[in-house]
Amino acid sequence: MSDSKLKELIIRRLGRDLYYKAKDFPNNNINIITKQNDPLFIRVIFFDNERDFHLIVDEERKEIFHDCPSFLIYSSVDKKICIHFLKLLLLLNESKALDIFKEIDNYEFTSEDFGSQRKSTNFQILANVCFKNDNDIDGLNYLSKAIIDQSQCASIIQKYLKNSMEKNLFIEFFEFLQEGYQNQWGTYFKKYNHLIKQAFQKLINSLDKYSFYNLLRIINSLDGIINKKDFSFLLQHIDKFEEMIHSSDLNKKYFAIYFIKKNYNTLIEISTQFKNIIPKNQLNYLKKLILNYFIEEIENFIVIDKLILMENQFKVLGISENQYKDKFEDYKQEINELEKKVYLKKFAFLKLLMHKYNVKITKVDFRKKRNVYVVNHEPENLKNPTYIYIIKKIGFYGINNSTIKSSDLGINYFIVKELFLDDFSKFPDIFYYKTQFWGDQDYQIKARDGISLLSKSKEYSYNIDKHYTNERVMIIEWDLAKKPIKGSIINAYSSQIIIPDQNSPLFHDLKPFDLCYCIKSPVKIEANIIKTVNVITKSSFKDAIKSVSNGMEFIEGYYPLSLIKSVINKEINPFKANKLVTNNPNRRFIPHYTKFIKEFRKFLFKFIEEEKDYIFDKLKQNVKDRVDQILILLNLSNKLNGMNLPYSQIIEKTIEQNLTITSFKDALIKEIHKYIQNILRESEIGATKIFNLKKMKNTPFIKYSDKILRIRKLEFQNTPIFKSNNYYDLSEIKETYYGAKIANLMGLGKKQTLSLKGYNKFNELAKRLNLEIKLIQK
Ligand SMILES: [Zn+2]
């Protein structure tokens, strides 16, 4: 097969290591943006170690554009070829991949690191796809990434502002402006003053639609831009502000009073009417209200970011520190302790996995190289997939996962100490990071504290509302996070980091490896790399497989959901898929994997049922290797139980007749009967050894059992044992069915002769089977 040809060529030129690394690179971290097949032109973004890398292959111009470190640093072709490029080859149609790989030395390798028009184009295409699918937030995110050199990106800036304004996405709108001003894009924004005005007007008319937290975020962005903007247009909104100040809606009141106080000097220049617009009693009332709210939120255990935003805005309102500082400091301390607890839980889970799956505690020889450490993992451990899982979760990366940052060693110190026997006392930087996060206290990791993170085998059923269509919902497999984010110990990796929304009632019940139905579009984006999604419900394997086969999108983790898609798209045949699922090396630590396989096979059988002709055509091309698969496909495996026949020969003979699949099955069964009857007719010595009557019990071929038994008895009784001197020669009788059986019972192995004692035993066993021995004296 050409598949192995490509593999062979890659391994021969670049080594096994790189090949397998590329093969194992997670499919989810690859985003194919556009693809044209002949000649190949493909744009791809890889998400690797929290960074984006672009890859464009242009077969016609013989050009490969890429920007990952190994591609940038090295000059020789062999070194420039990285796992990203190889992964792409492995995803392509095999003959196309071979064409390109064989020609690789004739390709031009290009990479522009800054101001790249091509990267910008990639992001713009992605953004358009998102907008088309009503995923505006991701769309905006990609648009902002597309702005690589602002002087050439006026149209993108305009598109961003226009789209976010029209869709009422004011968090995104004002955050973008704030970042833009920080990046000195002020001059480019001038042209869009009308859009900014329009957005501001729309915002003050929709303040009550935001959560208070989001309002705080918008205000924070506004604070970052207000000094740089001309707000003279606010003159026409004085009445509106006055109305808001007296409103009973907290959002409106807060926004109006805060905004005026914050921009007091600018506003009174616009109009003196702003001077006494806030009555003292309204201000005092708000101060009291907001301070109480702050204290309540502490008791509600609210996200710390919200309180930090509030605190920043307290100064403007004139709320003094001593009214809340002590409580807030205690709370920060408490949150810090909680974060530690989340880490300790993660460590306990990893330790549990260590115990459960025989990870050896080893010395790996930590060596410092600039600001990272390099180790040699113990070879036995490297063969254990659980070990790889664990070390990746504490921050090992790079070739052979041999590199780790000092800070990761420090933060993960307590589990690192469980995994490795090395002496860390000579590495002060690790202790520096450890103390920064953990203080001086030492913690003992107990494996049993991790049990609560083991996913239970509970059957969830997919009874989410009908209106959650494939357009709105996707499946996410949660994974243990490398570092907990905002209290979440799990995340899903895709082109960004996704964590579950804290407001979900399931938040504290989600475990690594859980499959869940989630709302597709992100709830919000933080720092442009962290998304939160709304979890609807957990999913059973059965439902997940069904949904994926119905076209639902998913973020894959350790359960190979993408194989479902590949089977349906006929990129891979069901038998190969079955093999891959069954031989998954990670299966030992993936919870309830056997159950997953069971459901996956049900899906395969259904697919085979529906697509018999397609599969039959595939199989006909290579009978020898696919005998088992053909028998499974024809649903014959059980019917042929207990018979060790040369099926490939029989199938080949039948296949020559060029039949459809249904008549093929009949013809094949006929051919098998013919073969058996022939064997029985000729009844050569020992020929019936190929039948196991016990196993044949429930098959249609059991009808031959009488005949088989008769042949067996006859051949035994007609085959002599020769006696000479005091030795009994079994060489002929051992060829018969029963002769072999008795010899086996006696454990004779290759032994051909017996003494009298042995013979007597042989005779006794034969008698038990009602068989006479034909003894001939020589
Ligand atoms: Zn690369």
Side-chain angles (χ1 to χ4, degrees), residues 539-716:
S539 156
S540 66
F541 295 140
K542 191 176 164 189
D543 285 337
I545 289 172
K546 195 171 144 205
S547 298
V548 171
S549 63
N550 288 334
M552 189 179 278
E553 274 181 35
F554 55 90
I555 295 181
E556 192 172 38
Y558 287 84
Y559 299 106
L561 296 176
S562 55
L563 278 177
I564 297 163
K565 229 172 114 184
S566 306
V567 167
I568 286 174
N569 295 340
K570 300 183 180 168
E571 292 157 5
I572 189 170
N573 74 53
F575 308 105
K576 197 169 169 195
N578 180 44
K579 217 168 166 181
L580 285 171
V581 167
T582 314
N583 299 335
N584 182 353
N586 291 328
R587 63 179 291 176
R588 62 188 295 192
F589 68 87
I590 305 173
H592 318 296
Y593 193 75
T594 333
K595 218 167 175 182
F596 178 82
I597 295 182
K598 224 171 110 194
E599 290 301 333
F600 187 78
R601 286 192 183 144
K602 280 188 201 159
F603 153 76
L604 289 180
F605 275 118
K606 202 169 146 243
F607 179 81
I608 289 170
E609 275 302 306
E610 285 163 6
E611 297 280 349
K612 267 189 180 153
D613 286 329
Y614 148 75
I615 289 163
F616 184 55
D617 264 357
K618 284 255 148 213
L619 292 179
K620 275 208 293 200
Q621 293 159 13
N622 184 355
V623 173
K624 242 195 188 110
D625 292 347
R626 295 177 177 171
V627 170
D628 290 344
Q629 303 177 0
I630 294 177
L631 297 179
I632 293 172
L633 168 66
L634 296 170
N635 207 5
L636 277 177
S637 311
N638 286 334
K639 278 196 185 132
L640 300 178
N641 253 348
M643 301 198 298
N644 188 9
L645 308 183
Y647 292 112
S648 80
Q649 197 187 313
I650 303 172
I651 290 170
E652 234 157 327
K653 206 171 156 194
T654 320
I655 240 165
E656 276 168 15
Q657 306 166 31
N658 231 342
L659 305 159
T660 66
I661 187 152
T662 13
S663 39
F664 175 80
K665 185 171 173 179
D666 295 340
L668 183 64
I669 293 177
K670 224 181 251 168
E671 203 60 48
I672 293 172
H673 278 292
K674 234 158 98 189
Y675 185 89
I676 296 173
Q677 286 155 8
N678 202 28
I679 292 241
L680 300 182
R681 194 175 323 116
E682 291 180 3
S683 41
E684 280 178 30
I685 301 280
T688 63
K689 283 179 189 166
I690 57 173
F691 301 108
N692 180 333
L693 293 180
K694 217 171 171 180
K695 284 190 181 162
M696 284 166 68
K697 215 168 173 182
N698 294 315
T699 74
F701 300 96
I702 194 69
K703 68 173 187 184
Y704 296 111
S705 64
D706 287 349
K707 203 155 185 197
I708 292 169
L709 286 169
R710 214 174 318 128
I711 290 172
R712 286 176 176 172
K713 190 165 183 177
L714 269 175
E715 66 172 14
F716 185 84

